[in-house]
């Protein structure tokens, strides 16, 4: 048997308190060896520290990097007797807290995903199991982005096999000038009417629901302290669960005119009268506590991905249904995307919950005064000025939303158009074809784009003959065929890194003196790991000068001079592009009312084939059987004879 012992420097069940007793690598390893464990391996996020301090460790302890964990586990699996692995890594949530408080060094290094290069395959989430890697809906489909506010700088997501990751060293996240922002908020909120203070005829039951690491308990504590300052009675009861980012956190808060009016701290089912929904998924999960038809609800509509997204790449966030489940039982319902405002105003979504508190105060939802809440923020002693600004911004949003929108303009995040949305309205099939054809022209040539257009126009004509043919089938087919034809080889990756769009993404995310490094697996250079899979390597800023030159090599794509085109991966991509185009033409020739649904399933399937290298190969293997089955329904077959290359020359 092999024991795996996590040494994470915290008791994570209760929010990160230090472990009682002396639990360190030296004491733990000595104990294991003294008790007769045959072989003990230390797997650490900082192995060089222990190699330089070898004298503190017992002679029998082996030291390894955390990157070696899989190999060590496989080796110990085949080792007779009792063995043990000590996995040493500071709790990620604790690491983030300590960095914010200045108790731990915060490396000047961050990860950024070039969303045009990203394929949305989800391998980065598989490698890291990190919820800071979030979905990003774009006009080219679902991609990934790193939430810089919640990123722990663990960097494991970069192990995902794709070239879309870059490291940004130096500089800092781009934020609005705080002095300018403070003056603007103070000026805009100077003439705000005083927040109304409702009278308490009986204790008010307040439910605060959110996610770990975002300050939910701080909001509850501020409410309790404000009540104390006004000599009212209050209780707070916390349900924190696991100490993890995005884990559900709920606080029961009761406020009364006098302490003796409160008999229990827990809010019974059906008795919550005010909901502060800092996260709508957690809030919706507390519906059994709502006083149906009477509860006043304030909900943050930000779409924060749930943990299940890490495991299910195709999981769609049910935003409308989630918000609707709360609104349907609320007497009064208020909602806004607090994360959007917080990130645009303060550069950090952590400010969102203080904005919610300010909004609730100005709306007269809270039984404590504005001055008491501001004094509670001051007594809390953590990021006082920033928290007061966020509180005032929330008050301002409640009565002068246009004033807040004007403050956003200097720091408005990049707007990404959702699939199927064009110029503010639903995109028609013709617009989709034209937009993607323009991209294919930039990708290769006008001739290449015309092949795309001809196939889809044939399908659109066939669809328009059907009852209610609205072009939805053609739009889905256009996205699938574009994805297959615009496969991301070395030339395309170079083009997408060389364009203005990536430079704009850098400018709008970072400021100061920084440099970028690329994480890629170039052919003939990258080497396989112990499991036979090619590993990415780090390439310096010099690559940025080479990429525009490589991008011009697209003229060689598919010709005898294309040195990258001879690999099995590129040959398979060209073959797949031909098969998808042929399938579009096949469906166009045989489409009728009886097989419309089957056609939709067939022509949407290629959108699941994404990623790079072995990840893409695995995705293709998963859909190949279904592809052949659906194709056979239209009289086609999954022919793999010859290259099947589309005309690529200009």
């Amino acid at each position: 048997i092999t024991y795996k012992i996590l040494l994470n420097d915290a008791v994570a069940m209760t929010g990160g308190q230090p472990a009682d007793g002396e639990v360190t690598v030296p004491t733990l390893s000595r104990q294991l060896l003294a008790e007769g464990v045959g072989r003990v391996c230390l797997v650490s996020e900082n192995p060089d520290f222990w190699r330089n301090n070898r004298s503190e460790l017992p002679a029998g302890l082996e030291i390894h990097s955390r990157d070696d964990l899989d190999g060590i586990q496989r080796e110990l699996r085949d080792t007779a007797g009792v063995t043990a692995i000590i996995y040493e890594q500071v709790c990620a949530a604790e690491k983030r807290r300590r960095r914010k408080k200045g108790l731990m060094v915060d490396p000047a290094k961050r990860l950024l995903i070039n969303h045009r290069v990203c394929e949305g395959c989800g391998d980065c989430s598989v490698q890291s199991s990190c919820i800071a890697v979030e979905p990003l809906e774009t006009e080219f489909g679902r991609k990934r982005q790193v939430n810089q506010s919640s990123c722990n700088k663990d960097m494991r997501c970069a192990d995902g096999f794709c070239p879309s990751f870059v490291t940004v060293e130096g500089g800092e996240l781009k934020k609005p000038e705080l002095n300018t922002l403070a003056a603007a908020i103070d000026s805009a909120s100077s003439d705000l009417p005083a927040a109304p203070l409702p009278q308490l005829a009986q204790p008010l039951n307040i439910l605060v629901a959110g996610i770990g690491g975002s300050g939910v308990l701080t909001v509850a504590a501020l409410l309790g302290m404000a009540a104390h300052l006004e000599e009212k009675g209050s209780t707070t009861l916390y349900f924190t669960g696991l100490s993890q980012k995005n884990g559900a956190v709920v606080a029961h808060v009761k406020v009364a005119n006098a302490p003796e009016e409160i008999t229990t701290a827990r809010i019974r089912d059906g008795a919550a009268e005010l909901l502060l929904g800092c996260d709508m998924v957690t809030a919706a999960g507390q519906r059994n506590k709502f006083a149906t038809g009477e509860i006043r609800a304030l909900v943050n509509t930000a779409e924060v991905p749930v943990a299940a997204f890490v495991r299910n790449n195709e999981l769609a966030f049910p935003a409308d249904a989630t918000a609707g489940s709360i609104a349907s039982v609320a007497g009064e319902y208020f909602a806004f995307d607090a994360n959007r405002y917080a990130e645009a105003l303060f550069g950090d979504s952590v400010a969102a919950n203080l904005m919610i508190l300010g909004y609730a105060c100005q709306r007269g939802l809270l039984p404590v005064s504005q001055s008491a809440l501001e004094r509670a923020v001051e007594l809390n002693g953590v990021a006082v000025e920033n928290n007061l600004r966020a509180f005032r911004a929330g008050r301002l949003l409640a009565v002068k939303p246009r004033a807040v929108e004007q403050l956003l303009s200097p720091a408005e995040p990049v707007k990404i158009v959702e699939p199927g949305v064009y110029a503010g309205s639903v995109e028609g099939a013709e617009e989709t074809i034209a937009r993607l054809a323009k991209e294919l022209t930039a990708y290769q040539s006008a001739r290449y784009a015309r092949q795309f257009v001809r196939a889809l126009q044939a399908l659109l004509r066939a669809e328009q003959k059907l009852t209610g043919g609205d072009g939805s089938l053609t739009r889905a087919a256009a996205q699938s065929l574009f994805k297959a034809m615009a496969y991301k080889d070395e030339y395309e990756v170079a083009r997408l890194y060389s364009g203005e769009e990536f430079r704009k993404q850098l400018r709008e995310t970072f400021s100061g003196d920084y440099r970028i490094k690329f994480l890629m697996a170039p052919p003939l250079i990258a080497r396989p790991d112990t499991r036979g899979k090619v590993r990415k390597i780090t390439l310096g800023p010099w690559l940025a000068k080479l990429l525009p030159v490589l991008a011009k090599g697209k003229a060689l794509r598919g010709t005898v001079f294309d040195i990258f085109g001879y690999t099995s991966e590129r040959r398979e991509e060209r073959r797949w592009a031909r098969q998808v185009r042929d399938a579009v033409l096949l469906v166009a020739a045989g489409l009728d009312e009886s097989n419309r649904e089957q056609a939709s399933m067939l022509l949407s399937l290629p959108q699941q084939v994404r990623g790079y290298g072995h990840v893409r190969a695995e995705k293709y293997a998963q859909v190949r059987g279904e592809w052949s089955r659906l194709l056979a329904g239209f009289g086609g077959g999954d022919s793999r004879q010859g290259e099947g290359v589309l005309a690529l020359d200009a």
Side-chain angles (χ1 to χ4, degrees), residues 81-370:
V82 178
T83 55
I85 297 172
I86 302 173
Y87 189 95
E88 184 211 26
Q89 178 173 303
V90 177
C91 169
E94 273 304 292
K95 191 181 294 185
R96 186 178 62 252
R97 293 189 187 104
R98 292 173 190 176
R99 284 171 176 166
K100 289 178 64 176
K101 295 178 181 179
L103 302 176
M104 180 178 282
V105 175
D106 189 2
K109 183 178 180 181
R110 292 183 177 273
L111 284 173
L112 181 74
I113 298 176
N114 183 335
H115 60 79
R116 284 301 308 273
V117 177
C118 172
E119 281 276 283
C121 66
D123 191 42
C124 48
S125 294
V126 171
Q127 299 300 322
S128 64
S129 297
C130 180
I131 46 73
V133 180
E134 297 181 350
L136 176 67
E137 303 297 343
T138 78
E139 58 188 334
F140 298 104
R142 176 177 286 188
K143 306 297 184 75
R144 290 292 188 279
Q145 64 181 340
V146 176
N147 185 328
Q148 302 293 347
S149 297
S150 59
C151 176
N152 296 310
K153 299 186 178 181
D154 183 64
M155 306 295 178
R156 294 310 292 263
C157 55
D159 291 344
F161 191 77
C162 84
S164 64
F165 282 87
V166 297
T167 59
V168 181
E169 299 180 0
E172 57 186 12
L173 290 176
K174 190 170 186 179
K175 296 182 180 181
E177 292 291 335
L178 292 183
N179 292 336
T180 304
L181 175 66
I185 290 179
D186 290 343
S187 174
S189 59
S190 60
D191 59 346
L192 277 177
L197 182 63
Q199 297 298 314
L200 280 174
Q202 59 185 17
L204 181 67
N205 297 330
I206 307 172
L207 196 66
V208 187
I211 56 178
S214 64
V216 175
L217 301 189
T218 299
V219 169
L222 291 175
L223 288 170
M225 176 54 72
H228 171 71
L229 292 171
E230 294 185 334
E231 298 184 349
K232 295 176 179 176
S234 69
T235 59
T236 55
L237 179 63
Y238 302 138
F239 297 85
T240 59
L242 290 170
S243 174
Q244 60 184 21
K245 184 69 178 176
N246 281 28
V249 175
V250 178
H252 293 196
V253 181
K254 293 188 176 185
V255 179
N257 288 317
E260 57 268 19
E261 295 181 18
I262 302 175
T263 56
T264 61
R266 181 189 293 267
I267 297 175
R268 63 177 174 80
D269 289 356
E273 301 161 285
L274 173 61
L275 168 69
L276 299 182
C278 303
D279 172 71
M280 62 175 166
V281 174
T282 306
Q286 297 294 312
R287 280 189 55 181
N288 64 312
K289 295 293 181 184
F290 298 175
T292 303
E294 300 177 9
I295 190 169
R296 293 173 295 170
L298 171 56
V299 178
N300 179 4
T301 58
E303 298 182 14
V304 181
V306 296
F309 177 75
V310 173
R311 301 185 299 273
N312 182 2
N313 181 52
E314 304 298 332
L315 185 68
F317 192 96
D320 293 340
T322 303
S325 70
I326 301 173
S328 64
V329 296
E332 287 185 272
Y333 180 77
F334 307 91
F336 63 94
D337 188 339
N339 285 31
R340 171 190 169 238
Y341 287 111
E343 289 172 0
L345 285 172
F346 305 102
D348 194 330
S349 61
V350 172
N353 290 352
L354 266 296
M355 289 191 68
I356 289 174
L357 194 65
Y359 189 100
C361 177
Q362 193 64 35
R363 284 286 186 178
L365 303 178
L366 302 180
V368 289
S369 68
Q370 152 202 330

